[in-house]
Amino acid sequence: MIKVKIDGLKLRAPSYPLSFLEQVSESRFILCNQSQADDFYMKNGKPKLINTAKQFYSSAKELLSLTRHILDEIGIRFWISSGTCLGWFRQCDLIVYSKDVDIGIWIKDYNARMIPAMQNAGLTLIHRFGKMNDSFELSFSSGDVKLDVFFFYEEHNYMWNGGTQARTGKKFKYLFPKFKLCWTLFLGLKVRVPCETITYIEANYGKNWYQPVTSWDWKKSPPNIRENGEWPEAERAEVIQIYF
């Protein structure tokens, strides 16, 4: 914010007006449903945070906070996605056995500064899959916690992100109903979530999203997954890059 004076009145105005105006359409704020979370824990029990879970919880929060800082600095919008979004929606918390943090980014918001910015902040690039126009995906690590970054593409009547099986070169699509972005508080951090959260969650986890699942196959379990061919052999060195 900057201080301005208009007609003798001292006011505060956004430092970057155009950026501020672009965010107005995404200014709605929603909270997780604490009553729903309490009911979930009453039925399933609240997991005891043994040392490894405590470490994950602390590290995941630090990783999400760092990611938010980096991406805000370079102007890339993101939202919590997949298991991280499910944890926020279902239990107002992390799913401690998930072992990773998941975020989504519109492919149109990506810029080439992202990877070096993440690396300069101490994150390690684990893999880079796909192309900018097809199934782009990044994964970083910070200690024992992984950050999965899924890039979303917009079609006429749906959104999707891609997946790649490194061993075989098989491609997959995860289909979502169209959605907009809202703000929420998660782990004490202001982050974005899909406004149409229930349809987003049901697309990825089905109608039984309320039930805890500790065994998950990313190639078979999601109800919104579709096979999407294979990467040509000649392109695999470019579209399947594994660093660690």
Side-chain angles (χ1 to χ4, degrees), residues 43-131:
K43 291 178 178 177
N44 299 284
K46 195 158 188 175
K48 293 181 180 179
L49 292 182
I50 59 176
N51 287 341
T52 52
K54 286 180 180 178
Q55 182 59 48
F56 166 74
Y57 192 94
S58 174
S59 299
K61 181 178 178 179
E62 289 179 10
L63 177 57
L64 184 58
S65 178
L66 178 61
T67 299
R68 185 186 69 160
H69 174 74
I70 297 167
L71 297 183
D72 282 354
E73 283 287 308
I74 57 179
I76 295 180
R77 296 175 295 172
F78 79 92
W79 62 93
I80 54 174
S81 188
S82 303
T84 306
C85 186
L86 174 63
W88 168 80
F89 184 72
R90 185 176 69 187
Q91 56 211 69
C92 297
D93 211 343
L94 287 166
I95 300 174
V96 293
Y97 52 78
S98 66
K99 305 302 182 188
D100 60 13
V101 173
D102 304 305
I103 66 171
I105 293 175
W106 303 122
I107 192 64
K108 63 186 178 183
D109 285 347
Y110 177 75
N111 70 57
R113 292 184 293 162
M114 178 177 171
I115 293 176
M118 300 289 264
Q119 292 174 318
N120 290 339
L123 302 184
T124 300
L125 180 62
I126 301 174
H127 72 238
R128 173 177 176 152
F129 292 158
K131 300 178 177 181

